[in-house]
Amino acid sequence: VPAGLLAYTAFLWSRFGDPFITAERQVIWGRHLRNPLTTLETAWTEAIAGLNQVLDPATLFLYSQGLKPSATAAGATNFVLFSLFVLLLIVGVAFLPRVPKGLWIYTLLLVFVPLLITSDNRVLTSISRFELAAFPIFFVLGWLFSQTSLKPALWVWLLVSGAIGAAEAALFITGRWVV
């Protein structure tokens, strides 16, 4: 994993003359270095505000209060992203020590980096890209769900994640998904 990062920064350096060009370009997206506790506080506030849209999904598909379609989905997105972040954080801290140390550190860095470099609002907007790359967490989830006592949890996980996936697909094809 570190070899890939070094190779990528070497490519950036040879191609653009700056190995950290991607970090510098974050400013264009309104991202900057931020206290991770402040980021978590803002994410919590945004997630709680989006809970209404999760509990009343009709608001995601109907125009309300003069908002654009993608803006009406933002609150639900914030709630889902925060919930996923908390789940992966719990799994990462509690169970990832079962995987090799290098993969554990890699995964925790991928989960924590988005807390450091973020925008002032919708702070978890891009966190899903980082979490998908944290593949050791999915190894741990697979191992957990393979345990005989957790078979019902596997079905709950599949139903919930399938429902969320279907809702996200519906939002996307109706022009409301912006993350």
Side-chain angles (χ1 to χ4, degrees):
V1 175
L5 180 60
L6 290 175
Y8 182 64
T9 55
F11 164 75
L12 292 175
W13 194 2
S14 69
R15 176 73 171 93
F16 301 107
D18 185 359
F20 305 108
I21 194 168
T22 56
E24 294 166 2
R25 295 294 185 236
Q26 294 298 315
V27 175
I28 294 171
W29 295 96
R31 299 184 176 281
H32 53 85
L33 192 60
R34 190 171 179 190
N35 180 344
L37 296 177
T38 304
T39 301
L40 284 173
E41 180 183 355
T42 305
W44 170 256
T45 304
E46 291 174 349
I48 294 302
L51 184 59
N52 290 335
Q53 292 174 334
V54 172
L55 296 175
D56 183 17
T59 60
L60 296 174
F61 298 98
L62 303 173
Y63 294 99
S64 62
Q65 302 164 354
L67 296 175
K68 293 182 179 179
S70 59
T72 61
T77 302
N78 292 335
F79 178 80
V80 170
L81 290 176
F82 185 77
S83 300
L84 182 62
F85 172 77
V86 169
L87 171 71
L88 294 181
L89 186 65
I90 290 169
V91 170
V93 170
F95 296 103
L96 270 181
R98 294 179 182 264
V99 299
K101 188 177 182 178
L103 291 177
W104 188 73
I105 292 169
Y106 164 79
T107 301
L108 289 181
L109 285 174
L110 278 176
V111 171
F112 284 115
V113 164
L115 296 180
L116 295 173
I117 302 172
T118 185
S119 61
D120 290 327
N121 59 355
R122 303 212 36 219
V123 295
L124 296 181
T125 297
S126 294
I127 199 165
S128 57
R129 293 181 298 141
F130 289 93
E131 290 171 347
L132 283 174
F135 63 89
I137 285 179
F138 299 102
F139 293 159
V140 172
L141 283 172
W143 174 81
L144 279 173
F145 288 143
S146 71
Q147 304 304 307
T148 307
S149 61
L150 292 176
K151 289 291 183 187
L154 170 62
W155 291 108
V156 170
W157 173 263
L158 291 174
L159 288 172
V160 169
S161 63
I164 290 171
E168 289 175 352
L171 290 171
F172 180 78
I173 62 173
T174 56
R176 290 167 174 83
W177 193 253
V178 294
V179 178

